[in-house]
Structure formats: C-alpha cells, structure tokens
C-alpha cells in the first residue's frame, strides 16, 4: 500500500488550449482539483512554489483555502525555497494553515532550486551571513523554522502589554501541535538526504537529483532513500520516517490521453545541469497503456523504497482532465502494483 498524491506546478499562461490562463484560474482550479482528488480517494494535494514566475508563489493562502474545503486529504508543498522565507512569520502562516486543515499539513521545504532571476532572495531583503553560501542560508533558516515550530517560549514579554500574557517567555502563535513532525526536506543529493534524516524531517525526492554515480535515475534515487533511512535509524528518532518520490505517469486509456502524452512512451532519463557546476540526472516520464505501465513501474526501485508517490499533473489542461488522469491511475494502475 502506498499513499498517492498529486503535485501541481501551478503554471498559467494566456495560450491556446490552456484552461489556466491567469493566476486566478490557477488558484481557483487548484482548490477545485484538491476537492475532486479527495472525492476520488487520492491521499494528497501538493504544490510547487516558485517566485518571479507565472506559477504559485505564496502557498499558505492556497493551502488554507483547500484545508477549509476538504476533510481528509493531506495538503502540502514540494517545495518552499527557504532562502526567501522569514522563518518566524512562516511559523505563524504554517500554524494557521495547519489548524484550518485540522492537522493535515505536510510541508515540504528546501534550500531552493534554480530561479527565474539572479539571487532572487536578495529582492526579498535577505543576504547570506559572513562565510555563508545562499544554500547555507536556506538550511540555517530551515533549522530556525523547525526550532520555533516546537512551540517553546523564547521572547521576553512586555511588562506593560496591551493584553495579559501567560507566565514565562512567549512563543509564536497560533501554535500547531505536531506540525514539527510533518516537515519534509526536498533533497537533490545523498548528503542532504542524510542531513534531513539527522534533523528529523521526512524526505521528498523529486524527478531529478545530482548525478552521483552515473547509474540510472531510479537506482540512484533508491540508494539515496536507503541512505536516508539508515541515517534516520542511526539518529534514534522514535517515529517512522516518510519518503515521497515524484513521477510523471500517464495511463493512455483514450484518444485524448494518446494525443497529449503518446509521445512520452519511449522517454528515457536525461542528463543536464541545474547549476553550472553540478551535473544532474532527470528521471523519465511514464506514459503507456495500463498493463505496460504496471510492468514498467514495478521495475522502478525508488518507488519500491517510498511510501508516497506524487503524480505530477498538467494543471494547465484543467480540472476535469486532471481528475481523469488521476482517476485512471487509481482505477487501472495502482491496484496492479499493490498501491491500493
């Protein structure tokens, strides 16, 4: 059994054939898709976060709206770039979204990915400290975020407050009990996966990672997950770790599917550079008739190691078609793989 969620990149563009042509379209359709996904039995609704782009940039209003309109589905991100964040304000936003959703937030964070602009975090008012890289800054902010999520008081109260204070140091409010244990780290390398385990975060592994051995993508990703699990066990955490992998998977069950994704049937892993000095490997897409999909996915070593599969969706094709895409996986593919 596996949890199955969707991951939306939240694109919009005024192009022919697009159902999401404006930011409003994307936001409102994202809510509708999450509601529909819950109705068909999906386990999670996750969203990418990118700044300076025609994509979703501020996740908490969206996550809160979804939380208010759903009852069971997990709600999360994949991932928030911590270089752009004020950890203190983020604790308040995340706490509110988690309380609105009654504890269903599964928040993916990371040190960040390639951006639309050069050093975009500088425009948000942030600079690495002396001797830090921007990646170091992202990880430092992540640790501050994790610490403040614990709900332990740290701020000296005003002796003459506007409203009466409880005794002792004050914490950020609203506090969401248990949210600290539902934070995920998006890791592109083996080392950062181990670091995430040591610091008690669940692991999100995407459709790309740094190429560290030259092996096929799913083999490298499976090795990364095993290292993560070993580090988690060594760290002595009392709860069970969770691991998600993202995949582009399309069951070709009608002519429309074949029109949109039939060209993906023979795709293979790709090699590229997401940073100028770091070679990366990009996992293949899966598109085939259900029986063939079951065969191909059963050979994916990383999926075997994960407890959660996030299906990347073509959000610009609209809610109705994406519900069809997700329903096809649940109906024709998941049972044959033991995911349901």
């Amino acid at each position: 059994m596996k949890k199955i969620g969707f991951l939306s990149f939240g694109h919009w563009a005024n192009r022919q054939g697009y159902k999401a042509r404006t930011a409003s379209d994307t936001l409102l359709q994202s809510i509708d898709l999450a509601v529909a996904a819950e109705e068909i039995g999906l386990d999670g609704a996750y969203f990418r976060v990118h700044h300076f782009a025609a994509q979703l940039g501020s996740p908490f209003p969206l996550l809160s709206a979804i939380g208010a309109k759903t009852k069971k589905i997990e709600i999360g991100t994949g991932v928030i770039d911590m270089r752009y964040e004020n950890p203190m304000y983020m604790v308040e936003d995340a706490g509110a979204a988690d309380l609105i959703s009654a504890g269903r937030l599964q928040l993916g964070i990371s040190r960040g990915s390639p951006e639309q602009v050069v050093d975009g975090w500088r425009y948000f008012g942030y600079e690495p400290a002396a001797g830090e890289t921007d990646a170091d800054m992202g990880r430092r902010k992540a640790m501050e975020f994790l610490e403040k999520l614990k709900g332990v008081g740290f701020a000296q109260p005003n002796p003459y407050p506007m409203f009466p204070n409880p005794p002792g140091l004050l914490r950020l409010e609203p506090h969401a009990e248990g949210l600290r244990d539902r934070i995920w780290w998006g890791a592109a390398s083996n080392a950062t996966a181990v670091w995430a385990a040591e610091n008690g975060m669940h692991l999100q592994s995407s459709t790309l990672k740094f190429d560290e051995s030259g092996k096929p993508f799913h083999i490298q990703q499976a090795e990364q997950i095993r290292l993560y699990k070993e580090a988690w066990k060594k760290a002595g955490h009392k709860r069970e770790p969770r691991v998600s992998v993202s995949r582009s998977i399309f069951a070709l069950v009608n002519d429309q599917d074949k029109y949109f994704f039939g060209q993906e049937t023979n795709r293979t892993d790709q090699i590229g550079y997401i940073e100028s000095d770091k070679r990366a490997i990009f996992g293949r897409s899966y598109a085939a008739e259900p029986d063939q999909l079951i065969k191909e996915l059963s050979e994916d070593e990383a999926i075997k190691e994960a407890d959660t599969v996030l299906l990347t969706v073509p959000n610009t094709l609209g809610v109705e078609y994406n519900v069809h895409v997700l329903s096809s996986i649940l109906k024709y593919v998941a049972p044959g793989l033991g995911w349901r």
Side-chain angles (χ1 to χ4, degrees):
M1 298 290 289
K2 292 190 187 297
K3 289 184 179 291
I4 306 173
F6 74 77
L7 175 62
S8 174
F9 282 55
H11 293 290
W12 69 85
N14 189 18
R15 295 180 183 173
Q16 184 176 1
Y18 274 31
K19 302 293 185 182
R21 296 195 171 197
T22 67
S24 178
D25 289 341
T26 293
L27 287 163
L28 294 174
Q29 289 176 24
S30 294
I31 297 169
D32 290 344
L33 181 57
V35 170
E38 179 175 84
E39 290 173 351
I40 65 174
L42 216 68
D43 300 303
Y46 289 74
F47 300 89
R48 288 289 298 269
V49 180
H50 284 288
H51 302 288
F52 297 104
Q55 298 176 47
L56 300 169
S58 53
F60 293 109
L62 175 61
L63 298 174
S64 297
I66 293 172
K69 286 208 163 191
T70 56
K71 299 293 185 184
K72 298 182 296 183
I73 196 168
E74 294 181 343
I75 306 163
T77 51
V79 291
I80 296 173
D81 186 336
M82 291 303 296
R83 296 175 298 180
Y84 286 80
E85 295 298 320
N86 177 327
M88 311 283 267
Y89 197 76
M90 188 174 168
V91 167
E92 295 179 341
D93 276 350
D98 193 50
L99 292 172
I100 289 169
S101 67
R104 289 181 284 129
L105 203 62
Q106 301 285 341
L107 206 61
I109 64 175
S110 187
R111 64 93 167 176
S113 58
E115 307 169 88
Q116 296 300 108
V117 300
V118 176
D119 295 344
W121 31 269
R122 295 186 190 276
Y123 295 97
F124 279 54
Y126 301 117
E127 296 280 346
E132 275 190 331
T133 66
D134 62 297
D136 294 332
M137 176 178 68
R139 285 186 283 268
R140 170 172 54 80
K141 288 186 175 189
M143 295 307 297
E144 183 177 3
F145 175 62
L146 293 175
E147 182 62 29
K148 298 301 186 291
L149 278 178
K150 293 177 182 177
V152 177
F154 64 94
Q156 187 67 41
N158 185 346
Y160 306 104
M162 181 177 294
F163 307 104
N165 280 323
L169 300 176
L170 300 183
R171 68 185 184 186
L172 294 169
E173 300 288 356
H175 173 64
E177 190 69 35
L179 180 55
R180 166 62 180 85
D181 293 341
R182 286 178 273 117
I183 306 301
W184 304 60
W185 184 261
S189 69
N190 293 346
T192 51
V194 169
W195 178 82
E198 292 170 346
N199 287 285
M201 288 181 279
H202 301 305
L203 176 65
Q204 286 184 339
S205 197
S206 183
T207 51
L208 68 87
K209 70 179 296 296
F210 293 132
D211 183 7
E212 298 181 83
S213 68
K215 297 176 183 177
F217 171 77
H218 73 106
I219 299 295
Q220 292 199 49
Q221 191 175 49
E223 291 172 347
Q224 178 195 47
I225 295 169
R226 293 184 194 111
L227 289 170
Y228 167 82
K229 290 178 179 178
E230 290 170 8
W232 183 281
K233 184 177 181 180
K234 184 177 180 180
H237 303 302
K238 303 303 181 185
R239 53 199 168 87
E240 289 297 314
R242 289 185 60 185
V243 176
S244 74
V245 294
S246 302
R247 290 291 184 273
S248 298
I249 305 172
F250 302 99
L252 307 182
V253 300
N254 61 29
D255 289 341
Q256 190 176 33
D257 299 329
K258 293 172 185 176
Y259 173 78
F260 283 135
F261 301 108
Q263 74 278 7
E264 302 283 337
T265 54
N266 295 315
R267 289 295 177 94
T268 60
D269 295 345
Q270 301 292 318
I271 298 296
Y273 288 83
I274 57 172
E275 295 181 6
S276 60
D277 60 341
K278 292 185 178 178
R279 174 178 157 119
I281 184 166
F282 300 77
R284 56 164 295 191
S285 298
Y286 291 92
E289 294 182 353
D291 287 348
Q292 180 63 22
L293 267 186
I294 292 170
K295 179 180 182 298
E296 293 178 2
L297 291 168
S298 68
E299 298 170 354
D300 190 311
E301 292 296 324
I303 289 179
K304 294 177 184 178
E305 292 287 342
D307 60 82
T308 301
V309 178
L310 299 183
L311 305 171
T312 61
V313 294
N315 77 283
T316 55
L317 297 181
V319 175
E320 183 178 356
Y321 183 70
N322 277 289
V323 171
H324 161 73
V325 167
L326 297 170
S327 297
S328 296
I329 299 298
L330 291 179
K331 182 176 180 180
Y332 300 114
V333 179
L337 289 163
W339 298 358
R340 281 292 187 271

